[in-house]
Amino acid sequence: MQDLLYFSQQLINGLTIGSTYALIAIGYTMVYGIIGMINFAHGEIYMIGAYTALIAITGLATLGVAWLPLILIVALLCAMIVSSSMGWAVERVAYRPVRGRHRLIPLISAIGMSIFLQNYVHLAQGSRNIGFPALIDGSFRFGSSEGFQLSLSYMQITIFITTLICMTVLSLFISRSRIGRACRAVSQDLGMANLLGIDTNRIISATFVIGAALAAVAGLLLGMYYGSVDPLFGFIAGLKAFTAAVLGGIGSIPGAMLGGLILGVAESMTSGYLSGEYKDVVAFSLLILILLFKPTGLLGKPEVEKI
Amino acid sequence: MIAHNFKHALFCAVVTMVVAYPILGLNLVARGTRVGLEGADTTTLIAIFVAAVVVFAFQLYRDTLMAALGKMPKLNPLAHREPMPQAKRVKMESWVLTGIIVLALFWPFFVSRGSVDLATLVLIYVMLALGLNVVVGLAGLLDLGYVAFYAVGAYTFALLSQYMGISFWMALPLGALLAALFGLVLGFPVLRLRGDYLAIVTLGFGEIIRILLNNWTAVTGGPNGIGGIPEPTLFGMEFGRRVKEEGNTSFHETFGIAYSGEHKVIFLYLIALVLAVITALVIRRLMRMPVGRAWEALREDEIAARSLGLSRTAVKLSAFTIGAFFAGFAGTVFASKQGFISPESFVFLESAIILAIVVLGGMGSQLGVVLAAIAVTILPELAREFSDYRMLVFGAAMVLMMVWRPQGLMPMRRAHIELKRQE
């Protein structure tokens, strides 16, 4: 009984982390699907989202606002606006001028951008980690056995619900809206979409903005879940999310969701049954193994190299 | 046109404000367990405002400005000059290089101990950058976990000396060979991957090595690292005040001179110099050998190179292994110089710095990479008060180089045959 409870607890924790990975992974997968580059700075955008959310929460607390839903909504909006602007600006400054050159050039530019943003926040806000107030406290507890209780915190429920809403909205947006249709067209054939009168530059910008907004949501959620932020917070999370995107098949949005959940569960199982220190090793090993044996991921389409 | 530009410029200015103000203008301060918010000083606020205005003005008059810039005469008076004949250039280059090496040989005897120590570090970076240059610059494989091979070299020496008492000279080839072996073993499966996947996998590998070093406490000492790594000896002569190992003599007693701590520093510097020169020469030869040509061919066009019968795996693997070999070299020297190593020294940032050196110097160009290594290591030391901004500037420089001059400051020039100009 206890074993089963312990397993379920790890599963819940894993799905919680995994759903936020999925949110970040969407940014990677959409950008890759359209212009075929790895947006290395995406993890930093997520980190900036978390910082902005914390700044907004602290600002509201200073102003004396105490109504929780208002605080959360304002923080979320601020984080999404700042992150989206950041995503737009990064694309404009670092990626658009090098688009279409040799594959490595945008990637190196992205790495430079990632280092730049990390140090930008580091210089402005200090390198120490800052405590994130636990706004959503408490948990459901059930099924105790031999002193072990299965707990599902309200925070975890919030994460599930928010992720679910985001994913639903995104799916509807991609499948129904005009921009969503244009996004799909551009990801299938950029040149052809351009010929048919789609402003591809705008669509590419839109992709970056959407990805950044989702990363900001993840930033707020994970910031509250972990209880602290620091400038290096985005690097590992970004790598994990990239792993999730590759796992699900890069370029595919349902794949990113699936990959995020699988990765989250794999990680929490490792830290639950082996040791917390090796959970990153498991994530990276998983990445290497997938790329070796199924480079297209679980739901991805094979890529044919044309001459 | 102007109306459209105006809207766009306004939008850009607003984005600049939105991007800069919350992060720069509002600072989070920890007050006990609670977090408070403080507004930044007026200078920062003015700076943000000025930045927004500049962006606005630039975007508004962008077309005019760009046109004016295009018409401006080239600032560089040498831009239109005929390139130097190849024979002359090669001759001059070798003279300059010989001059630099001779100067570098005698230079440490006249300067302070601190500068020599720094110069040793520069040479370690030169070795690393030259090695990575083979992988990234020549073979076109973006390796973001290069620091892992550096760590393998350093830890090989540290562990062997701790458990088996092996000396520097034994560890040097062993460390390099082990690093090369790691490169071979890692490279074999992953080199089939396309460029950007390869980058991420090598990054993951670098992190795995670091996490293992950090957590395998029983062997590596974990985060505490390994200390007491011996210094190199000169034909069994030690450079310490007292001889530590049986059978060795001490340098200052053998030559009958007074003991000085500088001897050791200079000796290490000279070793690093010789190794760096060897690295440069070996890679220089390799570049002109068939294998070097194959690296470049594969970088330029993989499909064409393969259809000409080059084995993709063998060519890439050779570049990867050779790069790893020289990283192992550098790692051994580093361990010996520091006397103490810990996983702290082998983080991703280190890989990024080495990559930045290669990118700034010009991918593939040896002289450019050497100069960039010197600049990147020495400039932060000279401008100590700006050392916080070092990584910020690196990041910005990497982006700007990719946008404006992706071939680097001193682009690679391939030896080629020149056609006689028709009269």
Side-chain angles (χ1 to χ4, degrees):
Chain A
M1 187 60 200
Q2 203 194 355
D3 291 345
L4 185 69
L5 281 180
Y6 189 68
F7 179 81
S8 323
Q9 183 71 65
Q10 296 306 330
L11 195 66
I12 291 176
N13 294 349
L15 290 175
T16 314
I17 297 289
S19 52
T20 55
Y21 285 162
L23 276 179
I24 313 173
I26 284 180
Y28 281 109
T29 224
M30 282 178 73
V31 167
Y32 195 92
I34 288 189
I35 50 176
M37 71 165 282
I38 298 172
N39 179 10
F40 214 84
H42 193 60
E44 271 57 48
I45 298 217
Y46 148 82
M47 178 265 295
I48 285 171
Y51 262 92
T52 318
L54 180 56
I55 288 172
I57 289 173
T58 321
L60 287 175
T62 326
L63 292 176
V65 180
W67 195 48
L68 189 62
L70 181 69
I71 296 183
L72 288 181
I73 288 173
V74 172
L76 195 64
L77 282 180
C78 288
M80 284 168 86
I81 291 172
V82 172
S83 283
S84 311
S85 313
M86 199 55 122
W88 184 84
V90 163
E91 194 269 336
R92 208 53 200 245
V93 172
Y95 303 155
R96 189 173 295 183
V98 296
R99 199 189 298 155
R101 298 215 201 136
H102 188 273
R103 275 198 113 93
L104 291 186
I105 288 176
L107 190 55
I108 293 173
S109 179
I111 293 168
M113 205 64 214
S114 156
I115 295 173
F116 177 83
L117 290 180
Q118 219 172 66
N119 284 277
Y120 167 65
V121 176
H122 172 132
L123 287 173
Q125 301 284 358
S127 57
R128 283 192 309 155
N129 62 344
I130 303 176
F132 215 106
L135 292 174
I136 303 175
D137 250 343
S139 59
F140 291 116
R141 299 184 172 278
F142 33 86
S144 68
S145 149
E146 297 171 40
F148 185 81
Q149 256 189 334
L150 185 64
S151 81
L152 175 64
S153 69
Y154 297 151
M155 187 65 227
Q156 287 175 322
I157 296 173
T158 317
I159 292 181
F160 288 134
I161 294 177
T162 320
T163 319
L164 203 66
I165 294 173
C166 286
M167 296 298 183
T168 320
V169 171
L170 179 77
S171 307
L172 285 177
F173 181 79
I174 293 290
S175 60
R176 300 286 161 83
S177 77
R178 219 182 144 75
I179 299 183
R181 211 159 45 230
C183 277
R184 280 180 291 145
V186 172
S187 78
Q188 277 179 9
D189 192 332
L190 195 135
M192 194 61 211
N194 214 345
L195 283 178
L196 291 176
I198 294 173
D199 186 349
T200 42
N201 277 337
R202 269 184 75 165
I203 297 303
I204 290 170
S205 288
T207 328
F208 275 86
V209 167
I210 295 169
L214 291 176
V217 176
L220 171 66
L221 294 175
L222 268 189
M224 281 201 285
Y225 188 63
Y226 285 141
S228 78
V229 286
D230 65 82
L232 291 174
F233 175 69
F235 177 65
I236 288 286
L239 270 182
K240 299 279 181 59
F242 179 76
T243 308
V246 172
L247 179 58
I250 197 151
S252 139
I253 293 177
M257 302 179 194
L258 184 66
L261 293 180
I262 293 178
L263 184 68
V265 171
E267 253 188 60
S268 95
M269 291 297 164
T270 325
S271 48
Y273 288 100
L274 286 170
S275 139
E277 283 136 7
Y278 288 106
K279 69 174 190 192
D280 292 351
V281 174
V282 168
F284 295 134
S285 314
L286 203 60
L287 172 70
I288 295 176
L289 289 178
I290 295 155
L291 283 177
L292 291 183
F293 294 109
K294 195 158 173 25
T296 52
L298 296 173
L299 303 179
K301 287 183 282 290
E303 199 169 315
V304 185
E305 210 169 333
K306 293 181 206 140
I307 303 171
Chain B
M1 192 64 195
I2 286 291
H4 172 77
N5 264 2
F6 182 78
K7 251 170 79 186
H8 177 71
L10 201 64
F11 182 67
C12 288
V14 170
V15 167
T16 314
M17 296 279 267
V18 169
V19 161
Y21 180 68
I23 301 291
L24 284 175
L26 299 166
N27 295 329
L28 292 162
V29 207
R31 296 201 188 100
T33 53
R34 300 192 64 81
V35 182
L37 207 56
E38 269 176 16
D41 49 0
T42 343
T43 345
T44 319
L45 295 181
I46 293 174
I48 295 171
F49 185 71
V50 169
V53 170
V54 168
V55 168
F56 178 74
F58 175 73
Q59 292 294 344
L60 194 58
Y61 298 109
R62 185 187 179 125
D63 300 336
T64 340
L65 275 175
M66 283 305 177
L69 215 64
K71 274 189 210 135
M72 237 174 38
K74 280 266 186 295
L75 287 177
N76 182 1
L78 301 176
H80 292 296
R81 119 207 107 114
E82 287 273 308
M84 211 183 280
Q86 193 187 335
K88 200 174 152 199
R89 190 172 61 82
V90 169
K91 210 175 210 174
M92 210 174 88
E93 235 180 58
S94 53
W95 274 111
V96 170
L97 280 177
T98 322
I100 291 176
I101 292 168
V102 169
L103 206 69
L105 269 178
F106 291 102
W107 171 78
F109 296 99
F110 304 103
V111 291
S112 74
R113 186 181 164 152
S115 336
V116 180
D117 218 33
L118 180 64
T120 316
L121 194 67
V122 170
L123 288 168
I124 291 172
Y125 274 105
V126 167
M127 271 186 258
L128 285 170
L130 285 173
L132 187 63
N133 194 21
V134 171
V135 186
V136 179
L138 295 175
L141 308 165
L142 189 54
D143 183 355
L144 295 179
Y146 192 62
V147 86
F149 305 124
Y150 184 39
V152 168
Y155 267 90
T156 306
F157 180 27
L159 291 174
L160 285 179
S161 77
Q162 195 178 33
Y163 293 109
M164 299 162 75
I166 271 179
S167 77
F168 175 79
W169 295 111
M170 282 291 284
L172 188 64
L174 280 177
L177 285 176
L178 204 66
L181 189 71
F182 262 76
L184 194 72
V185 170
L186 171 78
F188 196 68
V190 305
L191 286 171
R192 283 185 300 147
L193 300 171
R194 261 213 335 266
D196 29 16
Y197 281 168
L198 179 77
I200 297 291
V201 167
T202 48
L203 173 57
F205 174 72
E207 286 293 300
I208 290 177
I209 292 270
R210 191 181 59 81
I211 296 168
L212 287 181
L213 290 176
N214 226 341
N215 290 312
W216 198 7
T217 328
V219 178
T220 64
N224 297 331
I226 303 175
I229 301 166
E231 289 133 10
T233 52
L234 177 65
F235 300 113
M237 289 182 280
E238 287 190 13
F239 285 86
R241 192 181 286 277
R242 277 178 207 86
V243 175
K244 283 182 194 149
E245 208 163 311
E246 294 265 333
N248 283 354
T249 52
S250 76
F251 178 76
H252 63 103
E253 277 168 9
T254 315
F255 287 93
I257 45 177
Y259 167 76
S260 155
E262 272 186 31
H263 295 160
K264 183 185 84 189
V265 179
I266 293 178
F267 180 58
L268 250 172
Y269 166 82
L270 291 176
I271 289 177
L273 182 67
V274 169
L275 289 177
V277 170
I278 289 175
T279 308
L281 288 178
V282 168
I283 293 175
R284 221 179 158 72
R285 292 308 309 170
L286 283 172
M287 273 161 74
R288 283 161 199 191
M289 278 162 56
V291 63
R293 309 272 188 203
W295 291 337
E296 287 182 59
L298 214 64
R299 174 193 67 191
E300 292 302 327
D301 192 333
E302 191 168 316
I303 296 173
R306 283 175 72 193
S307 54
L308 288 173
L310 288 177
S311 152
R312 175 171 62 166
T313 320
V315 173
K316 285 185 175 179
L317 211 52
S318 62
F320 217 64
T321 313
I322 285 167
F325 180 87
F326 288 114
F329 243 39
T332 318
V333 179
F334 177 74
S336 182
K337 171 184 174 292
Q338 299 295 68
F340 164 82
I341 51 167
S342 73
E344 281 284 286
S345 311
F346 307 105
V347 290
F348 167 70
L349 210 60
E350 208 67 24
S351 287
I353 292 178
I354 306 166
L355 180 68
I357 293 175
V358 174
V359 169
L360 295 180
M363 284 187 260
S365 142
Q366 278 202 311
L367 192 61
V369 164
V370 171
L371 293 180
I374 296 173
V376 164
T377 329
I378 289 185
L379 284 182
E381 295 290 326
L382 291 181
R384 276 276 166 123
E385 58 268 41
F386 298 113
S387 63
D388 285 347
Y389 296 93
R390 177 176 133 165
M391 289 317 292
L392 189 80
V393 172
F394 267 6
M398 274 168 86
V399 175
L400 293 180
M401 286 300 279
M402 285 302 108
V403 172
W404 281 322
R405 217 179 144 80
Q407 72 273 38
L409 290 174
M410 294 191 85
M412 178 187 184
R413 290 236 196 90
R414 199 174 287 106
H416 55 275
I417 295 171
E418 265 164 46
L419 294 176
K420 285 260 157 58
R421 185 164 292 198
Q422 294 288 323
E423 293 302 324

